[in-house]
């Protein structure tokens, strides 16, 4: 029987970023479910994402079901939820649209932490939808739209208080920079966004112009290489108060702005 320490060494040798943490999680999971821990460790050493092996990902107060076909939510995206909650703090029954929802991490967190909000979740992927539906089960204040971000919701033009999005934003030439867990297991439609990685961000910004009420807030995640280019896209669309924000590691991570009144 492998020990936690041996498993951690194996994961470290395979290039896993947090080997001891992952080994402990796999041992805990195997014990709880009577699974073969050696198989789990071998899969993790082959760089299958930890969250796929556990079947879930923690995000703020939620435990989201994830697996093949859906993007694994990242800790840095938790900050976007704070920005949304801040923007709707004084709004009566706010309306929030989460474009490119994936597992629902951002939109469902807003719905959970601000139960008076009405949240529209827009996701185009057939493969992500089952995960999104499963995670949204039991929420009374969300609507799921299986649609392109240009097409839904079709009843919110000029009425949204906040548009939030963590869209695909990896440039095509950054393929060699991403970890095997991401390259081989996150869905391609969740990652790639043209030569400069801004193709979908441009579309989100254009859509937000239509969806937001005057004075409404825009919150968009971007890569740490887009700390100047993503805000420039937002400014060029006529938004005001364009501000870029760092993540917990001090890297540029998301932009906020207001639609002019
Ligand atoms: C980086 S993932 C983020 C998922 C989730 N918001 C999160 O933070 O974990 C981007 C998501 O956008 C979806 N997507 C890509 N293009 C889209 C489009 N044109 N319309 C709607 N969803 C889209 C992908 O399927 C994927 O689920």
């Amino acid at each position: 029987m492998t020990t936690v320490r041996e498993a951690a060494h194996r994961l470290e040798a395979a290039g896993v970023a947090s080997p001891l943490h992952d080994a402990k999680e796999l041992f805990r999971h195997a014990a709880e479910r009577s699974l073969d821990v050696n198989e789990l460790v071998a899969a993790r050493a082959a760089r299958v994402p930890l969250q796929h092996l556990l079947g879930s990902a923690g995000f703020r107060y939620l435990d989201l079901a994830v697996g093949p076909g859906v993007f694994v939510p990242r800790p840095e995206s938790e900050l976007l939820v704070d920005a949304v909650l801040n923007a709707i703090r004084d709004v009566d029954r706010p309306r929030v649209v989460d474009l490119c929802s994936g597992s629902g991490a951002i939109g469902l967190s807003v719905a959970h932490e601000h139960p008076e909000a009405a949240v529209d979740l827009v996701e185009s992927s057939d493969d992500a939808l089952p995960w999104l539906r499963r995670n949204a089960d039991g929420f009374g204040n969300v609507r799921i739209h299986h649609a392109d971000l240009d097409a839904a919701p079709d009843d919110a033009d000029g009425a949204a208080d906040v548009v939030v999005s963590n869209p695909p934003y990896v440039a095509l030439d950054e393929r060699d920079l991403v970890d095997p867990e991401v390259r081989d297991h996150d869905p391609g439609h969740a990652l790639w966004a043209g030569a400069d990685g801004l193709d979908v961000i441009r579309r989100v910004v254009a859509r937000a112009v239509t969806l937001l009420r005057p004075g409404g807030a825009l919150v968009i995640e971007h890569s740490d290489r887009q700390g100047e280019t993503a805000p420039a896209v937002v400014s060029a669309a006529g938004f005001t108060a364009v501000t870029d924000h760092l993540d917990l590691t001090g890297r540029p991570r998301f932009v906020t702005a207001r639609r002019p009144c």
Side-chain angles (χ1 to χ4, degrees), residues 193-233:
D196 60 3
L198 292 167
D199 280 8
V200 187
I201 286 181
R202 288 191 190 91
R203 294 183 58 205
V204 168
V205 171
R207 181 75 176 120
V209 171
T210 307
L211 287 170
L212 285 170
R213 65 164 168 79
L218 176 62
V219 181
I220 304 181
E221 182 168 325
H222 57 67
S223 86
D224 58 3
R225 299 170 158 220
Q226 296 166 338
E228 292 181 7
T229 53
V233 171

Short mmCIF file of all heavy atoms in Angstrom, two decimals, residues 193-233:
data_model
loop_
_atom_site.label_atom_id
_atom_site.label_comp_id
_atom_site.label_asym_id
_atom_site.label_seq_id
_atom_site.Cartn_x
_atom_site.Cartn_y
_atom_site.Cartn_z
N ALA A 193 -9.02 32.04 -27.53
CA ALA A 193 -9.76 33.23 -27.93
C ALA A 193 -8.97 34.06 -28.94
O ALA A 193 -8.78 35.28 -28.76
CB ALA A 193 -10.12 34.06 -26.70
N GLY A 194 -8.47 33.41 -29.98
CA GLY A 194 -7.86 34.12 -31.09
C GLY A 194 -6.41 34.51 -30.86
O GLY A 194 -5.80 34.17 -29.84
N ALA A 195 -5.88 35.27 -31.81
CA ALA A 195 -4.44 35.57 -31.83
C ALA A 195 -3.99 36.33 -30.59
O ALA A 195 -2.91 36.09 -30.06
CB ALA A 195 -4.11 36.37 -33.09
N ASP A 196 -4.81 37.25 -30.10
CA ASP A 196 -4.40 38.03 -28.93
C ASP A 196 -5.17 37.64 -27.66
O ASP A 196 -5.01 38.27 -26.61
CB ASP A 196 -4.56 39.54 -29.19
CG ASP A 196 -6.00 39.93 -29.51
OD1 ASP A 196 -6.89 39.05 -29.48
OD2 ASP A 196 -6.23 41.12 -29.81
N GLY A 197 -6.01 36.62 -27.75
CA GLY A 197 -6.77 36.16 -26.58
C GLY A 197 -7.94 37.06 -26.22
O GLY A 197 -8.60 36.85 -25.21
N LEU A 198 -8.20 38.06 -27.05
CA LEU A 198 -9.24 39.05 -26.70
C LEU A 198 -10.53 38.88 -27.52
O LEU A 198 -11.46 39.68 -27.37
CB LEU A 198 -8.69 40.46 -26.88
CG LEU A 198 -7.60 40.87 -25.90
CD1 LEU A 198 -6.92 42.16 -26.38
CD2 LEU A 198 -8.16 41.06 -24.49
N ASP A 199 -10.57 37.87 -28.39
CA ASP A 199 -11.72 37.77 -29.30
C ASP A 199 -13.05 37.71 -28.54
O ASP A 199 -14.01 38.39 -28.91
CB ASP A 199 -11.60 36.50 -30.17
CG ASP A 199 -10.65 36.71 -31.34
OD1 ASP A 199 -9.99 37.77 -31.39
OD2 ASP A 199 -10.56 35.81 -32.20
N VAL A 200 -13.12 36.90 -27.49
CA VAL A 200 -14.41 36.75 -26.79
C VAL A 200 -14.63 37.93 -25.84
O VAL A 200 -15.75 38.39 -25.66
CB VAL A 200 -14.48 35.40 -26.04
CG1 VAL A 200 -15.89 35.20 -25.48
CG2 VAL A 200 -14.16 34.24 -26.99
N ILE A 201 -13.56 38.45 -25.25
CA ILE A 201 -13.70 39.65 -24.41
C ILE A 201 -14.32 40.78 -25.22
O ILE A 201 -15.22 41.49 -24.74
CB ILE A 201 -12.34 40.05 -23.80
CG1 ILE A 201 -11.97 39.05 -22.69
CG2 ILE A 201 -12.38 41.48 -23.25
CD1 ILE A 201 -10.66 39.33 -21.98
N ARG A 202 -13.89 40.96 -26.47
CA ARG A 202 -14.49 42.01 -27.32
C ARG A 202 -15.99 41.78 -27.48
O ARG A 202 -16.78 42.72 -27.42
CB ARG A 202 -13.82 42.02 -28.69
CG ARG A 202 -12.42 42.57 -28.69
CD ARG A 202 -11.89 42.79 -30.13
NE ARG A 202 -10.47 43.10 -30.08
CZ ARG A 202 -9.51 42.19 -30.15
NH1 ARG A 202 -9.80 40.92 -30.35
NH2 ARG A 202 -8.23 42.55 -30.05
N ARG A 203 -16.38 40.52 -27.65
CA ARG A 203 -17.80 40.22 -27.84
C ARG A 203 -18.58 40.44 -26.54
O ARG A 203 -19.72 40.91 -26.55
CB ARG A 203 -17.97 38.78 -28.32
CG ARG A 203 -17.39 38.56 -29.72
CD ARG A 203 -17.64 37.14 -30.18
NE ARG A 203 -19.05 36.84 -30.19
CZ ARG A 203 -19.57 35.62 -30.08
NH1 ARG A 203 -18.77 34.58 -29.96
NH2 ARG A 203 -20.86 35.43 -30.09
N VAL A 204 -17.98 40.08 -25.41
CA VAL A 204 -18.64 40.30 -24.10
C VAL A 204 -18.86 41.79 -23.87
O VAL A 204 -19.94 42.21 -23.42
CB VAL A 204 -17.80 39.68 -22.96
CG1 VAL A 204 -18.30 40.14 -21.60
CG2 VAL A 204 -17.81 38.15 -23.05
N VAL A 205 -17.85 42.58 -24.19
CA VAL A 205 -17.97 44.03 -23.99
C VAL A 205 -19.08 44.60 -24.86
O VAL A 205 -19.93 45.39 -24.40
CB VAL A 205 -16.62 44.73 -24.27
CG1 VAL A 205 -16.77 46.25 -24.26
CG2 VAL A 205 -15.58 44.29 -23.24
N ALA A 206 -19.11 44.19 -26.12
CA ALA A 206 -20.16 44.69 -27.03
C ALA A 206 -21.54 44.26 -26.54
O ALA A 206 -22.49 45.05 -26.58
CB ALA A 206 -19.91 44.15 -28.45
N ARG A 207 -21.64 43.05 -26.05
CA ARG A 207 -22.94 42.56 -25.56
C ARG A 207 -23.36 43.32 -24.30
O ARG A 207 -24.54 43.61 -24.09
CB ARG A 207 -22.80 41.07 -25.27
CG ARG A 207 -24.05 40.41 -24.78
CD ARG A 207 -25.05 40.19 -25.90
NE ARG A 207 -26.20 39.46 -25.41
CZ ARG A 207 -27.45 39.93 -25.44
NH1 ARG A 207 -27.71 41.11 -25.95
NH2 ARG A 207 -28.43 39.20 -24.97
N ALA A 208 -22.39 43.65 -23.47
CA ALA A 208 -22.69 44.35 -22.22
C ALA A 208 -23.25 45.75 -22.50
O ALA A 208 -24.09 46.24 -21.75
CB ALA A 208 -21.44 44.45 -21.34
N VAL A 209 -22.78 46.37 -23.58
CA VAL A 209 -23.32 47.68 -23.95
C VAL A 209 -24.82 47.57 -24.14
O VAL A 209 -25.59 48.46 -23.74
CB VAL A 209 -22.64 48.20 -25.24
CG1 VAL A 209 -23.34 49.45 -25.76
CG2 VAL A 209 -21.17 48.47 -25.00
N THR A 210 -25.28 46.48 -24.73
CA THR A 210 -26.72 46.27 -24.97
C THR A 210 -27.45 45.90 -23.68
O THR A 210 -28.55 46.38 -23.41
CB THR A 210 -26.92 45.13 -26.00
OG1 THR A 210 -26.15 45.43 -27.14
CG2 THR A 210 -28.38 44.97 -26.36
N LEU A 211 -26.85 45.04 -22.88
CA LEU A 211 -27.56 44.48 -21.73
C LEU A 211 -27.66 45.45 -20.55
O LEU A 211 -28.67 45.47 -19.83
CB LEU A 211 -26.86 43.21 -21.25
CG LEU A 211 -27.02 41.96 -22.12
CD1 LEU A 211 -26.08 40.85 -21.64
CD2 LEU A 211 -28.47 41.46 -22.09
N LEU A 212 -26.63 46.25 -20.34
CA LEU A 212 -26.57 47.04 -19.10
C LEU A 212 -27.49 48.26 -19.14
O LEU A 212 -27.61 48.93 -20.17
CB LEU A 212 -25.14 47.52 -18.85
CG LEU A 212 -24.16 46.46 -18.34
CD1 LEU A 212 -22.74 47.02 -18.36
CD2 LEU A 212 -24.54 46.00 -16.93
N ARG A 213 -28.08 48.55 -18.01
CA ARG A 213 -28.79 49.82 -17.86
C ARG A 213 -27.74 50.93 -17.74
O ARG A 213 -26.58 50.65 -17.37
CB ARG A 213 -29.67 49.80 -16.60
CG ARG A 213 -28.87 49.69 -15.31
CD ARG A 213 -29.68 50.05 -14.11
NE ARG A 213 -29.04 49.69 -12.85
CZ ARG A 213 -28.06 50.40 -12.26
NH1 ARG A 213 -27.58 51.48 -12.80
NH2 ARG A 213 -27.55 49.98 -11.10
N PRO A 214 -28.11 52.20 -18.01
CA PRO A 214 -27.16 53.29 -17.77
C PRO A 214 -26.66 53.24 -16.32
O PRO A 214 -27.46 53.09 -15.39
CB PRO A 214 -27.99 54.54 -18.04
CG PRO A 214 -29.06 54.08 -18.99
CD PRO A 214 -29.38 52.67 -18.57
N GLY A 215 -25.37 53.31 -16.13
CA GLY A 215 -24.80 53.24 -14.79
C GLY A 215 -24.52 51.82 -14.32
O GLY A 215 -23.94 51.62 -13.26
N GLY A 216 -24.94 50.84 -15.11
CA GLY A 216 -24.71 49.44 -14.73
C GLY A 216 -23.22 49.08 -14.77
O GLY A 216 -22.43 49.77 -15.42
N ALA A 217 -22.87 48.00 -14.08
CA ALA A 217 -21.45 47.65 -13.91
C ALA A 217 -21.05 46.46 -14.78
O ALA A 217 -21.83 45.51 -14.97
CB ALA A 217 -21.18 47.31 -12.45
N LEU A 218 -19.83 46.53 -15.27
CA LEU A 218 -19.24 45.45 -16.07
C LEU A 218 -18.04 44.88 -15.31
O LEU A 218 -17.23 45.64 -14.77
CB LEU A 218 -18.78 46.01 -17.42
CG LEU A 218 -18.03 45.06 -18.37
CD1 LEU A 218 -18.92 43.88 -18.77
CD2 LEU A 218 -17.57 45.82 -19.61
N VAL A 219 -17.95 43.55 -15.23
CA VAL A 219 -16.85 42.88 -14.53
C VAL A 219 -16.36 41.76 -15.43
O VAL A 219 -17.10 40.82 -15.72
CB VAL A 219 -17.32 42.29 -13.18
CG1 VAL A 219 -16.15 41.62 -12.45
CG2 VAL A 219 -17.96 43.35 -12.30
N ILE A 220 -15.11 41.83 -15.89
CA ILE A 220 -14.58 40.81 -16.81
C ILE A 220 -13.21 40.34 -16.36
O ILE A 220 -12.30 41.15 -16.13
CB ILE A 220 -14.44 41.35 -18.25
CG1 ILE A 220 -15.76 41.92 -18.77
CG2 ILE A 220 -13.97 40.23 -19.19
CD1 ILE A 220 -15.65 42.44 -20.20
N GLU A 221 -13.06 39.01 -16.29
CA GLU A 221 -11.73 38.45 -15.99
C GLU A 221 -10.90 38.42 -17.27
O GLU A 221 -11.42 38.29 -18.38
CB GLU A 221 -11.88 37.02 -15.43
CG GLU A 221 -10.54 36.41 -15.04
CD GLU A 221 -10.68 35.14 -14.22
OE1 GLU A 221 -11.62 35.04 -13.40
OE2 GLU A 221 -9.82 34.24 -14.40
N HIS A 222 -9.58 38.54 -17.10
CA HIS A 222 -8.66 38.44 -18.24
C HIS A 222 -7.38 37.79 -17.78
O HIS A 222 -7.19 37.54 -16.57
CB HIS A 222 -8.41 39.83 -18.85
CG HIS A 222 -7.85 40.83 -17.86
ND1 HIS A 222 -6.59 40.71 -17.31
CD2 HIS A 222 -8.39 41.95 -17.31
CE1 HIS A 222 -6.38 41.71 -16.49
NE2 HIS A 222 -7.47 42.48 -16.45
N SER A 223 -6.47 37.52 -18.70
CA SER A 223 -5.21 36.88 -18.32
C SER A 223 -4.25 37.91 -17.73
O SER A 223 -4.45 39.12 -17.90
CB SER A 223 -4.57 36.19 -19.52
OG SER A 223 -3.77 37.12 -20.24
N ASP A 224 -3.20 37.39 -17.07
CA ASP A 224 -2.25 38.33 -16.45
C ASP A 224 -1.41 39.06 -17.49
O ASP A 224 -0.65 39.96 -17.15
CB ASP A 224 -1.38 37.61 -15.42
CG ASP A 224 -0.61 36.46 -16.01
OD1 ASP A 224 -0.70 36.24 -17.24
OD2 ASP A 224 0.09 35.75 -15.25
N ARG A 225 -1.57 38.70 -18.77
CA ARG A 225 -0.88 39.42 -19.85
C ARG A 225 -1.77 40.48 -20.48
O ARG A 225 -1.37 41.13 -21.45
CB ARG A 225 -0.46 38.43 -20.94
CG ARG A 225 0.50 37.40 -20.42
CD ARG A 225 0.71 36.31 -21.44
NE ARG A 225 1.97 35.66 -21.16
CZ ARG A 225 2.84 35.26 -22.06
NH1 ARG A 225 2.58 35.42 -23.34
NH2 ARG A 225 3.96 34.68 -21.70
N GLN A 226 -3.02 40.58 -20.00
CA GLN A 226 -3.99 41.49 -20.64
C GLN A 226 -4.38 42.66 -19.73
O GLN A 226 -5.46 43.23 -19.89
CB GLN A 226 -5.23 40.69 -21.05
CG GLN A 226 -4.93 39.64 -22.12
CD GLN A 226 -6.04 38.62 -22.30
OE1 GLN A 226 -6.85 38.41 -21.40
NE2 GLN A 226 -6.06 37.96 -23.45
N GLY A 227 -3.50 42.97 -18.77
CA GLY A 227 -3.81 44.03 -17.80
C GLY A 227 -3.96 45.41 -18.43
O GLY A 227 -4.55 46.31 -17.84
N GLU A 228 -3.42 45.58 -19.64
CA GLU A 228 -3.59 46.85 -20.34
C GLU A 228 -4.53 46.70 -21.54
O GLU A 228 -5.36 47.57 -21.81
CB GLU A 228 -2.24 47.39 -20.79
CG GLU A 228 -1.40 47.82 -19.60
CD GLU A 228 -0.05 48.38 -20.01
OE1 GLU A 228 0.20 48.59 -21.21
OE2 GLU A 228 0.76 48.61 -19.10
N THR A 229 -4.42 45.58 -22.24
CA THR A 229 -5.21 45.43 -23.48
C THR A 229 -6.69 45.22 -23.18
O THR A 229 -7.54 45.77 -23.90
CB THR A 229 -4.67 44.27 -24.33
OG1 THR A 229 -4.61 43.09 -23.51
CG2 THR A 229 -3.30 44.58 -24.89
N ALA A 230 -7.03 44.45 -22.14
CA ALA A 230 -8.46 44.23 -21.86
C ALA A 230 -9.15 45.53 -21.41
O ALA A 230 -10.21 45.88 -21.95
CB ALA A 230 -8.64 43.12 -20.82
N PRO A 231 -8.57 46.30 -20.47
CA PRO A 231 -9.18 47.59 -20.14
C PRO A 231 -9.29 48.52 -21.36
O PRO A 231 -10.26 49.29 -21.46
CB PRO A 231 -8.24 48.18 -19.08
CG PRO A 231 -7.60 46.99 -18.45
CD PRO A 231 -7.45 45.98 -19.57
N ALA A 232 -8.34 48.43 -22.29
CA ALA A 232 -8.41 49.28 -23.49
C ALA A 232 -9.63 48.93 -24.33
O ALA A 232 -10.28 49.83 -24.89
CB ALA A 232 -7.13 49.13 -24.31
N VAL A 233 -9.97 47.64 -24.40
CA VAL A 233 -11.17 47.23 -25.14
C VAL A 233 -12.41 47.82 -24.48
O VAL A 233 -13.32 48.32 -25.15
CB VAL A 233 -11.27 45.68 -25.18
CG1 VAL A 233 -12.62 45.24 -25.75
CG2 VAL A 233 -10.13 45.08 -25.98
#
